[in-house]
Amino acid sequence: EEGITVDELSQKIGQTPANVIKVLFMLGTMVTINSSLNDEQVELICMEYGLECKKVVPVSEVNFEDLEVVDDPKDLVPRPPVITIMGHVDHGKTTLLDHIRKSRVAEGEFGGITQHIGAYQVSVKGKKITFLDTPGHEAFTAMRARGAMITDIVIIVVAADDGVMPQTREAVDHALAANVPIIVAINKIDKPGADPQRIMTEVSELGLMPEEWGGDVPYVNISAKKGIGIDELLETVTVVAELAELKANPKRMAYGSVIEGRLDKGRGPVATLLIQNGTLRSGNPIVVGATYGRVRQLVDDRGREIKSAGPATPVEITGLNDVPEAGDKFMVFETEREARHVGEERAQKKIEEERNSTSAMSLDDLFSQM
Ligand code: GDP
Ligand code: MG
């Protein structure tokens, strides 16, 4: 950690180094002209001279995390939960997602969801729920590996005629490791011979004690195909979400994560973003992973062009100079100049990182062949 030195600070605030050293000495710290100061010491000196000090991070070295302004609690409002559905192959994840999308979106809307953007939002008794439509461990694991923990609740789907399978275990492990609330949906209960009670016993042994047995994991019996139990499942989601007290600040500039990125023949780079905090508006200068641009078009999960979108909303955007990757983070900037600067810097870093990892890898290969 390299802080500002006594010498540098004294020049900045127009005091002699001797004065700065004296102030710190009176406050109980011995420093020399070349000592580097921590933030607290800088603050103390600024206070002593009645100055307001603000740490300026060179924009090119910006880590998005460092910019994550702490929201004033009074700006925070409840936001919808973001849900991922996981489970073993063929246990009914896609059928469940499709059923929810079709049955819920029609309500009072025309058109329904016409396109897949990798995520969608539904309304349950006036409360919104956001579903990530890219189930599977790869997506989830990739996101988690890149620090993009965007899921608030995981629904684990287990087929009643199959029970706990390897990917069920994996999914449970991931969800437990991510420390997110879990809901178990026992699917295919319409099948003859389905024994939800037996499945419940199996799943509970993975460390998911059912509520009805005194644990804290809700279990819901469903048939994704027949549409049985889906309302109860969705209501359970809203209850679990309420307990989690999820909040966000719609007043700030948006940041969030990339769900999908692709190149569209006509529209150029297209990215589906999940806004995790703030409000994203068309025209916003933005950095997305190692790409940048200005939000040209903002499209919702129904394929409608919109002007802005708030927290926990999935949107598709165009206007980027390149295609970002799933799990990349995005952040809005004040000016296009800043966005370009940061974006180019990040692209450069990415190239260097890739080059380094390739050479490291070939070195390993070399050794493994010896
Ligand atoms: P995924 O691999 O987890 O996405 O599973 P799918 O949604 O593709 O479902 C796999 C198969 O199970 C498909 O043939 C579905 O029609 C069937 N399926 C899904 N849900 C149910 C259900 O509730 N009942 C029955 N009987 N079949 C189901
Ligand atoms: Mg599927």
Side-chain angles (χ1 to χ4, degrees):
E1 280 281 358
E2 285 175 27
I4 188 168
T5 65
V6 169
D7 195 25
E8 289 162 349
L9 181 68
S10 55
Q11 285 178 32
K12 270 208 161 89
I13 62 175
Q15 294 289 333
T16 62
N19 278 344
V20 170
I21 292 168
K22 200 163 74 189
V23 169
L24 284 172
F25 180 76
M26 313 247 270
L27 294 167
T29 320
M30 296 271 270
V31 294
T32 67
I33 186 162
N34 293 318
S35 301
S36 52
L37 303 171
N38 63 30
D39 291 355
E40 196 188 351
Q41 290 168 327
V42 173
E43 219 160 279
L44 286 170
I45 291 164
C46 289
M47 261 163 60
E48 176 69 21
Y49 292 109
L51 303 166
E52 211 185 311
C53 59
K54 205 160 122 195
K55 195 173 175 183
V56 182
V57 185
V59 92
S60 58
E61 288 170 23
V62 159
N63 220 337
F64 286 178
E65 283 73 18
D66 299 337
L67 288 179
E68 285 183 14
V69 185
V70 178
D71 293 305
D72 188 333
K74 71 178 191 314
D75 291 331
L76 294 175
V77 297
R79 66 160 173 86
V82 179
I83 317 292
T84 302
I85 296 182
M86 297 171 85
H88 197 70
V89 65
D90 283 343
H91 281 200
K93 299 177 295 292
T94 303
T95 311
L96 177 59
L97 277 162
D98 286 348
H99 183 89
I100 295 170
R101 182 198 294 108
K102 283 190 204 112
S103 60
R104 286 283 153 180
V105 169
E107 278 181 13
E109 299 210 20
F110 84 108
I113 293 182
T114 49
Q115 60 166 19
H116 261 252
I117 67 165
Y120 64 80
Q121 213 170 46
V122 297
S123 246
V124 175
K125 294 189 174 157
K127 292 189 185 113
K128 287 178 178 168
I129 303 174
T130 302
F131 280 93
L132 296 184
D133 203 354
T134 42
H137 322 278
E138 289 88 22
F140 190 81
T141 316
M143 295 249 187
R144 210 157 71 79
R146 314 184 69 185
M149 229 357 272
I150 60 179
T151 303
D152 300 307
I153 299 169
V154 169
I155 297 178
I156 305 275
V157 174
V158 190
D161 61 343
D162 209 16
V164 170
M165 296 302 278
Q167 286 169 296
T168 317
R169 285 175 207 282
E170 244 178 75
V172 171
D173 286 347
H174 283 313
L176 288 174
N179 206 18
V180 288
I182 297 170
I183 298 170
V184 177
I186 299 179
N187 190 30
K188 307 197 186 185
I189 55 155
D190 60 292
K191 280 207 161 178
D195 185 357
Q197 207 65 21
R198 182 178 67 81
I199 305 299
M200 198 187 245
T201 307
E202 267 184 34
V203 178
S204 70
E205 283 161 8
L206 303 179
L208 304 179
M209 189 54 71
E211 273 179 344
E212 50 182 294
W213 298 351
D216 57 4
V217 181
Y219 280 59
V220 185
N221 294 337
I222 63 164
S223 165
K225 196 170 176 178
K226 300 262 160 78
I228 301 165
I230 310 293
D231 287 348
E232 194 192 334
L233 178 62
L234 293 176
E235 272 161 40
T236 304
V237 168
T238 60
V239 171
V240 172
E242 223 149 87
L243 280 173
E245 292 187 8
L246 308 164
K247 295 203 165 125
N249 173 12
K251 290 184 185 166
R252 63 178 290 160
M253 293 194 294
Y255 71 80
S257 298
V258 177
I259 313 263
E260 276 176 10
R262 67 191 163 85
L263 191 63
D264 183 279
K265 257 190 205 157
R267 297 157 74 207
V270 176
T272 299
L273 306 179
L274 180 79
I275 300 161
Q276 288 172 265
N277 204 356
T279 298
L280 183 66
R281 301 169 203 286
S282 65
N284 277 164
I286 194 170
V287 176
V288 186
T291 75
Y292 66 91
R294 200 180 256 284
V295 178
R296 195 189 308 143
Q297 232 189 357
L298 202 58
V299 178
D300 73 4
D301 57 0
R302 272 73 159 169
R304 300 173 298 207
E305 191 160 347
I306 52 176
K307 285 279 155 241
S308 67
T313 316
V315 288
E316 204 180 66
I317 67 157
T318 61
L320 301 175
N321 70 327
D322 204 349
V323 181
E325 292 173 37
D328 276 347
K329 297 204 170 171
F330 78 84
M331 183 167 233
V332 166
F333 284 78
E334 294 272 4
T335 66
E336 198 167 0
R337 213 177 120 255
E338 257 182 318
R340 186 183 339 112
H341 192 55
V342 175
E344 278 170 357
E345 200 74 28
R346 287 171 66 98
Q348 191 57 42
K349 265 201 192 122
K350 193 179 163 190
I351 292 168
E352 278 162 27
E353 276 168 17
E354 277 167 3
R355 193 183 300 139
N356 289 342
S357 70
T358 330
S359 52
M361 203 143 44
S362 45
L363 206 62
D364 279 347
D365 289 346
L366 196 70
F367 280 120
S368 67
Q369 281 167 24
M370 284 166 74

